[in-house]
Each structure stands twice: as C-alpha cells, then as structure tokens.
Amino acid sequence: MSDTPRKILVTSALPYANGPIHIGHLVEYIQTDIWVRFQKMRGHQCIYVCADDAHGTPIMLRARTEGIEPEELIARVAREHKADFGDFNIGFDNYHSTHSDENRVCATRIYERNRDKGHIARRMITQAYDPVEHMFLPDRFIKGTCPKCGADDQYGDNCEACGASYSPAELKNPVSAVSGATPIDKESEHYFFKLADFEQMLKEWTRGGHLQDEVSNKLGEWFEAGLQEWDISRDAPYFGFEIPDHPGKFFYVWLDAPIGYQASFQNLCDRTEGLEFDAFWGKDSDAELYHFIGKDIIYFHALFWPAMLHGADFRTPTAVFSHGFLTVDGQKMSKSRGTFIKARTYLNHLNPEYLRYYFAAKLGSGVEDIDLNLDDFSARVNSDLVGKVVNIASRCAGFINKRFDGRLSENLAEPDLFDEFVRTGESIAGCYEKRQFSRAVREIMALADRANQYIDEKKPWVIAKEEGRERELHEVCSMGINLFRLLIGYLRPILPATAERSEAFLRIAPLSWASLATPLTGHEVAKFKPLMTRVEAKEIEAMVGDSKEDLAATATQAAPTGPLADDPIAETIDYNDFAKVDLRVVRIAKAEQVEGAEKLLRLTLDLGGETRNVFAGIKSAYAPEELEGKMTVMVANLAPRKMRFGTSEGMVLAAGPGGDELYILNPDQGALPGMKVK
C-alpha cells in the first residue's frame, strides 16, 4: 500500500434536522469515522465534513405545531445531533447546516450554471394539493400504491419495496399524509433538471469503478427504463431557499441537501488558512472525494448528484460507498420490542465504543444489512475487548509498575514475534482501506489470541515467584506491553477513546501507523488503570426498557403514515388477533399537564358511566384546554401499564406524519361515549 500523502475529502449523508439520531443512523457515521481515522493514522490529509439537512415541509410543519420558527427548531436539533455524534466519538472536521449562507451560494451557483447550459426546463404541471391544509403536497407527503410493483403505502417519489422512482401523479390511490384527505389536482409552474442530458456521461461514470458492483447493476435498470426529468422546485409555503429567478418557488430539499457537502467544506475553508475549495471540488482537482450513504438514497447520489456537479463544471465523486440497514436481533428496529434505540438512550447505559467495535466486526464493503444481536453484542465485547485486548495490558502492567518502577526492559524479548505483528499490520491496513472492517477485526483478534498465548506460555505470575528470574519477568511483561501497544494501534480507528486512554498509560504521543513498527524499550509507563469494563446484562435490559418507555410516552400515535415515520409498520396480524382489540368512543372529561414529563398529558376519559386515567404523548400537539370536551377513540381493553407518573388504563389513538405532529382521532357527530368502534 502506497504511503504517498493523499488529499481526501469524505462525507456522510446529512441527518434530517427533525428528530433524534438512533443506532440505525450510527452505522453510517461509525463506518465513515473509522475509515477517516484510519486515513489520518496513515498520514494522509483526510477531511470529514457533514451537516444537518435542515429544509423541507416536515420541518416547517413541526415548527408550526410547536409554535416556534423553523430556525429555532433546527438550531435545537443541531445541538442534540452534535452532542450525540460527539459522545460517539464521531470526529467531524466540520459540522454545518444546509440552512446557511454558504449553502445558499453553492446551491444558487450549481442551479444557475446548469440553467445557463440549458439543463433546466420550466413548465406548468398539475400538482397534488391538499384541500384541507391548503398547500401543495411534497412527494413524501403523498402515499399510495406503487405504479411499478403494486406495493401499498408507498411515498409519492419512490418505492421502498422495489426502489422505483416516479412522480406523485403516477401513484395509485393517493392520500395526503398531512390530513388524510384525497388530494385534488391544481396547476403550478415548476423547474426541472434534465437528467437525460447526462445519460452517456452517467453510464460511463456508474460503470467506471466509482460504485460497488451491485449498485452499478441496480442503476442499469433505471437506464433501461429511461432517465426522467427531476422536479427541483416546490411551492410556498416551504422552508428553504427561494429560487433566484422564480419568486415564490423554492429549491426542493433534495437539490440543496447534497450541495450541503460543498457548503460545509466551504465553511471550513473560510476558517482554515491554506485550505482551498477548488483544490477539492474544482474540475481539475487531484484530491479524492468519497460519499458514504445508505442504500436507500443511491438514486440521488449516483445519478442526480454527479450529473448536477458535471453540469456545473465541478468534479464528480471518486466513489460513492453504500451500506445496508441495521436490524436488531434479526428483525427491523421496533419500538414495541424496545429495539428502536436512540443514540442518547444507548449512551445513558453503555460505552459508545462497544457499539463502534460491534459494528466494525460486522461491516464489510458491500451493501448487505447488518444485525445487532444483543446477546452476541455483549459476548463479543466481553470476550474480544475486555477478555483479550485489555487483559494483555492488565496482566503485565502490574509487574512492570511494582517490580521495575514502571520502566520497560531495554531489550525486546521476542523480536520475531513483534515483527510478525508488524507485518500483519499491512494486511490489516489493506482491510481498512477497502472498508472490510470485519476482516480487519478478525485479523486483529487473531493477533490478540497469539499475544495471550505468548503470555500463557511464559506464565509471568509463576516467574515472579521464583528467585533469579527478574530479568526474564521484566522482558516477558515488557513484550506483552509492546504487543498490547500494537493491538491498540490497529484498533485505534475503531476505539479512539480507548486508544487515547491507552496512550496515556503508555505515555506516548497519539499513535500513527508508521510509529507502530518501533517498539517501546527502556520506556517509562504510567500506573495502569482499567481501560474498559464488561458489558452487564442488566445494562442492556435497562437500555431496552428505556426504549420501551420512550414508546410509552408516544404510544398514542397510530402507525406512522408520513415522511417522518421512523418506525416500520409492525408485523402483520390476522383478523382474530385484531378482533381482540376493543376500540371505544370516549369523551375527554379532563386534560392536565404531567409534572416532569416532556411529552405526556394526563387524560380523564369518560366511557359513558365509567372513567379511565390515560397518559398520552400528545403534549407537543395540544394544550390541555384544547382537549377537554373533545370526543376521541381509545383502546379500552389494553392492560393497565404502570409508568413513572402513575398507571395508564388504556390508550387513546392519534395519527400523523410522524415526529411530534399528531392528531387525535375524532369520531363523527352522533358517536357517544362508550360506543364500540366496529
């Protein structure tokens, strides 16, 4: 592998500024961060930028629901995202926002350059309009049946079942995800990006080694179907950037979102002496540009994005790396099972480096999904990190400190063994470079086994009891510390915090890949402190339990139907199971705040002669006084649930596009408390 210094710019997909980071999101950011940290260890200039994706109708509507401006909402979410990423040791060189002056400039520039070359079309279209909310509906706010494969409950711009991309007008049986009303047709003038202008360029680019083979093959299907024009404008009301020559129209969020990569880098350049934008984004740039993304947004990153860049006279990406989704215990993440785990919920219970290691041990260079098996998670962390790697240092450091004043021996007891570890490092580096992290982990753990075998064979605890063997004890334990140093160096991209604590113990500068080949001899180390503790079953149980409590706070929400739905539709049930659910019309006799609860209101429900006490997670959508006297629907035969604030005796039903945007179900006139919903 070449040691010639490289200039590398790396991005991850921008998280949407409308909700918390969860462990499914973290697969991508951990994968990217490991790769970036490895490149930096190799001595390359590797810059990692990201930003919040802060535009669009969902953010506008959520801010409206909370009674705040969108700017206040995205600022709050940005603080939460940065805290979560920071605590997971995601080492961004810059984290910015698409709602920024830099992004306005970059988006306008790309648009105007493509417009001036004739790549933008302008025409009247018939667009879906919500007659209840009096707004044009963005693609993701329309749901219906996929026109390609017939899958139900699909969004208006692409199908999650077959991956097809289409216009909302092609969707069958459409409904508004905002109000549930059937959209009406209304004319509006829009701008379109003429993707077909770039067909030949894209065919060459997508087959030019810039994508994984399976992604290139998938894109081939879209070329066969024909590249469609892309609607890049949206009507007011909309939270975003107004199109310069089209007052009252705004750039579609997916136009300025990837441009946010440029904007974040520009923001960094403006604050960093000697860092030049064109050196990385210019058409003749010799830098490398990599995007790490999920497989669900390949179409945007592998077709629209390189075409927009090419049309605007910018360089195209060196590569776009796609990854799969995360399952937990073999199933989709689920709030009901407590496996839809927010980053902050995880951090409240477990060391973030456990998850970084486990994901690394699962990740390859392809787009396959990975599974977080919670039993395997604890077993692997305890066995590999605590039982193998950290154990080497703890077995040797005590003797070095107590018997030799913390100083390592002047000689390396087993230079051939040390050299074997160093040689294997090049193979490990090759795995990191190719994003074959699981293979790198296997090779590192094989070395850890070899190091522990060496210590078991030498038995320093036996040597220490025998007279005249001080030098041997010194050299064996010093050798163990040197092998530990190599292992922690190889793991440094995965475990940066543990590596930092290890470097403090070893009293050395941050490890580079090149520095690993030189052993520590005659060197003084610090007193050893535990570097990592075991995962306890009770910690995982508490994390899962807290994730279920998160659900209890929002359990009033029916299956999400909007673009913000972050929990997949639950497993199907048969009619007999559904028939067990007793839905009743109720009147909200009283609604009141719950002290200390962020999302809950306490409702006293009148079932027609009987009252129930229910906690409902609708505080963000309703003030108590708005609810009293209203009719709604509840699950009357749900077993009482003891919560932190009291016992909830049922569940009221609400629906909405997701997040905090909720609407309680309101029966038609004539329904009376206690009536059974049939």
Side-chain angles (χ1 to χ4, degrees):
M1 188 182 300
S2 173
D3 287 326
T4 303
R6 297 154 60 188
K7 292 193 304 182
I8 308 170
L9 178 59
V10 181
T11 75
S12 297
L14 311 187
Y16 199 51
N18 197 33
I21 303 298
H22 58 67
I23 60 171
H25 295 134
L26 286 168
V27 171
E28 178 170 312
Y29 302 100
I30 288 173
Q31 180 189 38
T32 314
D33 186 70
I34 290 171
W35 197 78
V36 168
R37 288 179 182 275
F38 164 73
Q39 299 297 347
K40 290 182 176 182
M41 278 191 74
R42 296 289 283 189
H44 303 308
Q45 181 187 21
C46 188
I47 300 169
Y48 182 18
V49 300
C50 196
D52 266 1
D53 180 5
H55 285 158
T57 300
I59 286 171
M60 178 187 72
L61 292 178
R62 179 173 175 182
R64 183 191 301 174
T65 300
E66 294 189 19
I68 60 177
E69 293 299 317
E71 289 84 356
E72 184 179 344
L73 171 63
I74 63 177
R76 184 185 75 210
V77 173
R79 289 192 296 271
E80 295 169 356
H81 285 182
K82 289 176 183 178
D84 288 345
F85 286 136
D87 289 346
F88 267 96
N89 301 315
I90 308 299
F92 299 117
D93 291 288
N94 195 50
Y95 194 86
H96 203 40
S97 171
T98 59
H99 190 64
S100 63
D101 291 338
E102 296 90 348
N103 203 38
R104 185 190 300 274
V105 170
C106 291
T108 299
R109 179 172 55 198
I110 284 181
Y111 163 74
E112 289 181 341
R113 288 183 180 181
N114 277 285
R115 177 201 64 192
D116 294 347
K117 291 183 179 181
H119 300 312
I120 304 296
R122 175 178 177 176
R123 65 176 182 271
M124 296 294 293
I125 65 168
T126 301
Q127 192 179 6
Y129 186 83
D130 188 322
V132 175
E133 291 293 323
H134 305 292
M135 61 181 289
F136 285 101
L137 291 168
D139 299 350
R140 300 283 283 182
F141 274 76
I142 307 170
K143 301 200 77 173
T145 302
C146 173
K148 309 292 185 182
C149 72
D152 292 328
D153 202 35
Q154 298 303 313
Y155 295 123
D157 56 356
N158 73 287
C159 177
E160 294 184 336
C162 71
S165 181
Y166 41 75
S167 72
E170 298 176 86
L171 198 67
K172 299 177 181 178
N173 306 315
V175 296
S176 166
V178 181
S179 68
T182 300
I184 62 173
D185 293 336
K186 189 172 181 178
E187 280 197 333
S188 177
E189 187 176 56
H190 272 232
Y191 279 177
F192 293 83
F193 180 70
K194 296 159 72 172
L195 187 63
D197 288 358
F198 302 89
E199 181 172 359
Q200 188 56 41
M201 168 260 164
L202 288 171
K203 282 182 176 178
E204 294 173 3
W205 187 84
T206 56
R207 292 292 182 183
H210 305 288
L211 305 168
Q212 294 123 309
D213 289 343
E214 54 266 59
V215 174
S216 296
N217 294 336
K218 180 65 178 177
L219 291 177
E221 299 174 12
W222 284 321
F223 284 115
E224 291 176 10
L227 299 180
Q228 303 298 310
E229 289 186 343
W230 181 35
D231 188 346
I232 61 169
S233 61
R234 292 296 182 266
D235 294 274
Y238 195 79
F239 183 58
F241 294 141
E242 194 170 44
I243 300 176
D245 55 355
H246 203 349
K249 302 289 182 175
F250 295 79
F251 286 131
Y252 175 39
V253 62
W254 260 111
L255 179 125
D256 70 51
I259 296 172
Y261 303 142
Q262 286 193 342
S264 185
F265 185 68
Q266 181 66 68
N267 178 261
L268 180 63
C269 289
D270 292 343
R271 297 182 288 105
T272 308
E273 186 176 353
L275 190 61
E276 296 182 0
F277 183 88
D278 286 342
F280 288 81
W281 288 100
K283 195 170 186 178
D284 298 322
S285 168
D286 61 354
E288 301 169 49
L289 172 62
Y290 299 101
H291 300 305
F292 285 75
I293 63 165
K295 63 183 179 181
D296 55 329
I297 53 175
I298 286 171
Y299 196 88
F300 294 103
H301 281 80
L303 291 178
F304 293 128
W305 179 230
M308 286 196 303
L309 288 170
H310 185 76
D313 293 323
F314 288 112
R315 56 88 48 82
T316 52
T318 307
V320 175
F321 299 136
S322 304
H323 62 82
F325 299 136
L326 177 71
T327 58
V328 181
D329 288 339
Q331 301 181 67
K332 289 182 178 180
M333 292 167 58
S334 164
K335 289 180 179 176
S336 62
R337 291 190 298 273
T339 57
F340 189 92
I341 302 165
K342 297 175 185 176
R344 186 53 49 183
T345 305
Y346 177 98
L347 290 164
N348 288 339
H349 296 281
L350 293 167
N351 184 337
E353 306 235 305
Y354 298 159
L355 194 66
R356 288 179 65 101
Y357 177 75
Y358 192 79
F359 282 172
K362 292 275 188 168
L363 280 165
S365 59
V367 296
E368 298 83 8
D369 295 348
I370 67 170
D371 183 58
L372 168 60
N373 180 287
L374 292 174
D375 290 335
D376 180 56
F377 167 77
S378 58
R380 183 172 295 209
V381 169
N382 291 341
S383 171
D384 290 0
L385 298 184
V386 181
K388 293 181 181 179
V389 177
V390 172
N391 190 45
I392 296 169
S394 64
R395 295 173 85 182
C396 299
F399 294 115
I400 295 294
N401 279 289
K402 293 176 183 177
R403 305 282 282 266
F404 307 105
D405 296 323
R407 184 169 293 277
L408 301 178
S409 64
E410 297 290 340
N411 302 310
L412 202 60
E414 301 280 349
D416 289 345
L417 180 59
F418 184 86
D419 289 345
E420 177 190 330
F421 273 52
V422 171
R423 286 193 302 272
T424 306
E426 280 308 292
S427 174
I428 294 168
C431 295
Y432 274 126
E433 179 66 41
K434 297 172 184 175
R435 307 178 324 285
Q436 295 171 344
F437 298 162
S438 59
R439 182 177 168 187
V441 165
R442 287 196 297 273
E443 293 201 27
I444 294 167
M445 286 306 132
L447 292 180
D449 287 335
R450 182 71 184 87
N452 279 290
Q453 180 185 1
Y454 167 78
I455 294 170
D456 288 340
E457 289 172 352
K458 297 298 182 181
K459 297 182 174 57
W461 56 91
V462 173
I463 298 174
K465 296 177 182 178
E466 299 179 5
E467 293 184 9
R469 302 183 69 183
E470 286 292 297
R471 179 177 176 180
E472 185 181 357
L473 176 65
H474 196 190
E475 291 185 348
V476 166
C477 292
S478 297
M479 184 68 193
I481 295 296
N482 269 285
L483 296 180
F484 166 76
R485 173 179 164 273
L486 284 167
L487 293 171
I488 210 67
Y490 295 150
L491 286 168
R492 196 178 200 281
I494 300 171
L495 307 175
T498 304
E500 188 174 332
R501 289 192 293 273
S502 300
E503 289 157 355
F505 155 63
L506 294 169
R507 289 182 173 168
I508 57 174
L511 289 163
S512 68
W513 210 269
S515 69
L516 290 171
T518 304
L520 293 180
T521 55
H523 177 84
E524 188 174 326
V525 299
K527 185 176 181 181
F528 181 79
K529 297 178 182 178
L531 297 171
M532 185 175 285
T533 57
R534 292 173 56 84
V535 182
E536 300 295 340
K538 62 182 180 182
E539 295 171 330
I540 294 179
E541 291 168 4
M543 177 184 68
V544 171
D546 277 5
S547 297
K548 290 179 180 177
E549 288 180 18
D550 286 345
L551 172 65
T554 57
T556 54
Q557 187 173 355
T561 59
L564 310 183
D566 54 6
D567 195 20
I569 300 298
E571 297 84 353
T572 57
I573 60 174
D574 61 28
Y575 180 81
N576 290 332
D577 287 332
F578 175 73
K580 298 175 184 177
V581 181
D582 188 358
L583 300 177
R584 298 281 176 154
V585 176
V586 294
R587 183 178 67 86
I588 303 175
K590 186 177 181 181
E592 53 192 323
Q593 303 280 359
V594 179
E595 186 176 351
E598 287 186 23
K599 301 180 180 180
L600 297 181
L601 293 179
R602 180 185 288 105
L603 306 180
T604 301
L605 304 178
D606 176 10
L607 281 80
E610 178 187 354
T611 60
R612 297 276 186 90
N613 180 72
V614 168
F615 291 96
I618 55 177
K619 184 176 179 179
S620 63
Y622 295 97
E625 57 271 17
E626 295 180 76
L627 291 170
E628 293 185 359
K630 283 184 178 291
M631 306 289 280
T632 189
V633 176
M634 77 169 295
V635 181
N637 63 335
L638 189 68
R641 179 183 178 87
K642 189 172 182 179
M643 301 174 64
R644 181 154 59 101
F645 305 102
T647 300
S648 188
E649 302 171 310
M651 178 192 297
V652 297
L653 301 186
D660 291 333
E661 188 184 345
L662 297 169
Y663 305 91
I664 60 169
L665 302 194
N666 193 208
D668 204 354
Q669 292 182 353
L672 298 174
M675 281 187 173
K676 189 174 180 67
V677 179
K678 298 183 182 277

